[in-house]
Structure formats: structure tokens, C-alpha cells
Amino acid sequence: MNTQKIKSPAKLNLYLKIIKKLSNGYHELDTCFQLINIYDDMYFSLQDSNSISVNCSEKSIGEKENIVYKSIQVMQKLNNGGGIKIDITKNIPIGAGLGGGSSNAASTILVLNRLWNMGLSMERMLEIGNSLGADVPFFINGINAHAKGIGNIFKEKLSDTSNYVVMVPNIFNSTKKMFSLYSESNLKDFKNHQNSFWAIFIKNNKEIEDFYNKINKDYEICLSGSGSAMFIKYNNAQEKEKILKIIPSNWRFFLAKPLQYSPLREFV
């Protein structure tokens, strides 16, 4: 097989608690990952030489700054060579806390392990993923989970049964910056305990503060990862239609369903 097309899924954090900052600069977390059916499309093509090519539809991401490029470099070094061309069609918003980059990196590790016949164990691939980003091991594992540590110690959980309206404002949130702001801030207590980043997110975005204050009495609104994506669960068409009417017209939104397993499990 010289080519492979895959769907790289997004995730939601059903909750996210920051426990403390660790001596290595990471943060100890308590979170719950839920896979959802929003996907980036990735196309892998083997190359004869050791060349690396990553073409992404999101042009704000430089080729060599893309975590996919970095993932290829790590795998190529372990494999003592190997050429690959990867084309990525981004559907998962970037800087939104939906895990698109981490999912793409995990997809790259899993697919190259097969295309290059590397024979790496799951344990080894998880180690590689952990070296690239805190959420990458979750996507390699591909199973909904409660997570502790830096988000890399998993306890498998059943899939959520709700559907979601996922709302994405025109705000790019850098995870690194959000953790830094959290560490520097005294805004640790907030009435919504679903996600430790709520206070920072609202403080820094008047539009979000106004939206939150307008709807929080009527809806249980949740924040995914370090934001900026928010989501509301619904169970029927009537609930869905009510939620859709409150979304600002300049925001993107997705109607998402939960996944029991990642489509990438076939590569494990």
C-alpha cells in the first residue's frame, strides 16, 4: 500500500480541572475526553526519497511549524529514513480546544507505523505522542477516557449519549498562552466549575462574557480544552433549534455526535 486516506477526529473535554503546575512546566489535570464526528481529512502518499511534504489547507500554519511535520521527522529518524507526502484538509477549527493538531499528529504516527512497516508497539507510539504534545497520546489510544497526569493517564469510559452544538467564535486560543495566563492569574474561582479556563477566557473576551451572561441561566454551556470552542448538549430536535437561535451570526457552529471509538483504531 502506497497511499492512505484517513479521517482525523476532534474531541471535546466534557470537563477539565487544572490541579497544579508541575516542576517540568506541565500542569496536572483531571479531564474527560469525548471523541466527536468532526474530522480533518488526511491523505498519505509514500515518496521514493526521504523527502517530507506537508500541504495543509489552513495556510496560517507554516509547513515546518505544523505538528504533523514534526511528527514525520520523529518517525523518519526512528525508521532510518522514509519519504512521505501528506495533504491535510482542515475542518476542525484551530486554536479552539478541539484537538485538531494533536489528532493530526496521532494520525501521522499511526499511519506511518503501518505504511513504513515499522512495527512499533502501542506503548512506544504513546511515548512518541507524549513527546509531541499532551493530547496526542489520547488520540493514539483512540478511546474515550477520563484522564489524569498531564492528560496521558487514561481510564476508559463509555461514550456520552448526548449530541452537541459546538460553537466556535472568531478567537484563536493558544493552549500554551492560556496555561500561562492561568498560572499568572488569581482568577481561580468561577461559578462554572466545568472548566478551569472559564474565568481567564471570559476576562479576556468581552464578547464571550456578554454571551455567557445572556444564556448561562437557561443552558449548561461548556468550554472545550483551553477554548475557544464552547458546546451545549441536546437530546432532541426541539432543543437543538432553540440553541441554534442563540448563536451569534458571525460564529461558526457544528452539529456533532459522540463517537464510541476513533476511526484510527484500525491502525492500532
Side-chain angles (χ1 to χ4, degrees):
M1 181 186 296
N2 293 322
T3 63
Q4 183 73 55
K5 176 183 177 181
I6 60 101
K7 288 188 172 296
S8 187
K11 58 81 178 169
L12 295 175
N13 296 85
L14 299 184
Y15 67 82
L16 190 156
K17 312 290 185 185
I18 301 173
I19 308 302
K20 62 182 179 181
K21 187 171 184 178
L22 302 173
S23 58
N24 61 7
Y26 282 96
H27 289 75
E28 182 181 347
L29 305 177
D30 177 9
T31 190
C32 181
F33 289 116
Q34 173 64 54
L35 293 156
I36 56 174
N37 67 339
I38 304 174
Y39 306 99
D40 289 338
D41 294 310
M42 300 182 70
Y43 306 84
F44 294 75
S45 302
L46 288 177
Q47 304 296 297
D48 292 333
S49 66
N50 290 333
S51 65
I52 298 175
S53 174
V54 177
N55 178 44
C56 183
S57 64
E58 177 52 67
K59 298 306 180 185
S60 66
I61 306 173
E63 181 183 29
K64 293 186 178 181
E65 286 69 50
N66 194 321
I67 191 173
V68 169
Y69 194 96
K70 297 172 183 177
S71 303
I72 298 171
Q73 288 181 310
V74 172
M75 295 293 281
Q76 191 182 61
K77 184 175 181 180
L78 289 172
N79 193 51
N80 295 315
I84 195 73
K85 178 177 183 289
I86 303 179
D87 295 294
I88 309 168
T89 301
K90 292 292 291 183
N91 301 303
I92 303 170
I94 64 172
L98 298 175
S102 296
S103 182
N104 295 168
S107 301
T108 301
I109 293 166
L110 289 163
V111 174
L112 289 184
N113 185 50
R114 176 175 293 185
L115 288 179
W116 287 348
N117 298 309
M118 295 176 68
L120 299 178
S121 67
M122 170 61 85
E123 181 180 13
R124 185 69 181 104
M125 288 190 288
L126 289 172
E127 288 175 356
I128 296 167
N130 194 50
S131 73
L132 290 163
D135 286 350
V136 179
F138 163 71
F139 285 105
I140 292 174
N141 199 45
I143 300 174
N144 298 308
H146 295 284
K148 293 186 181 295
I150 61 171
N152 62 342
I153 302 172
F154 307 117
K155 180 179 180 182
E156 183 176 349
K157 77 173 204 61
L158 294 176
S159 176
D160 193 14
T161 57
S162 300
N163 296 315
Y164 317 95
V165 176
V166 181
M167 300 166 289
V168 186
N170 298 314
I171 298 169
F172 179 94
N173 272 5
S174 160
T175 298
K176 183 178 180 180
K177 182 177 179 181
M178 290 295 285
F179 271 113
S180 177
L181 289 172
Y182 179 87
S183 297
E184 295 168 1
S185 174
N186 293 320
L187 299 173
K188 300 297 189 287
D189 294 323
F190 187 64
K191 54 192 172 183
N192 188 330
H193 298 290
Q194 176 263 337
N195 189 313
S196 293
F197 285 111
W198 264 121
I200 301 298
F201 187 43
I202 284 179
K203 178 192 174 186
N204 287 279
N205 297 282
K206 184 65 166 57
E207 180 185 20
I208 302 302
E209 181 180 16
D210 292 344
F211 178 73
Y212 184 92
N213 290 335
K214 181 179 178 181
I215 73 162
N216 82 91
K217 292 180 181 178
D218 299 316
Y219 298 95
E220 184 180 354
I221 182 169
C222 301
L223 183 67
S224 185
S226 58
S228 62
M230 297 163 281
F231 62 96
I232 299 174
K233 296 182 179 183
Y234 72 91
N235 295 300
N236 56 58
Q238 185 178 13
E239 290 179 3
K240 178 187 71 175
E241 291 304 318
K242 287 182 178 179
I243 296 167
L244 293 180
K245 290 177 181 178
I246 67 173
I247 303 174
S249 60
N250 63 327
W251 290 9
R252 293 178 69 184
F253 72 88
F254 300 84
L255 300 179
K257 295 181 180 295
L259 300 174
Q260 182 58 56
Y261 297 102
S262 167
L264 299 173
R265 288 290 295 174
E266 69 171 284
F267 294 94
V268 173

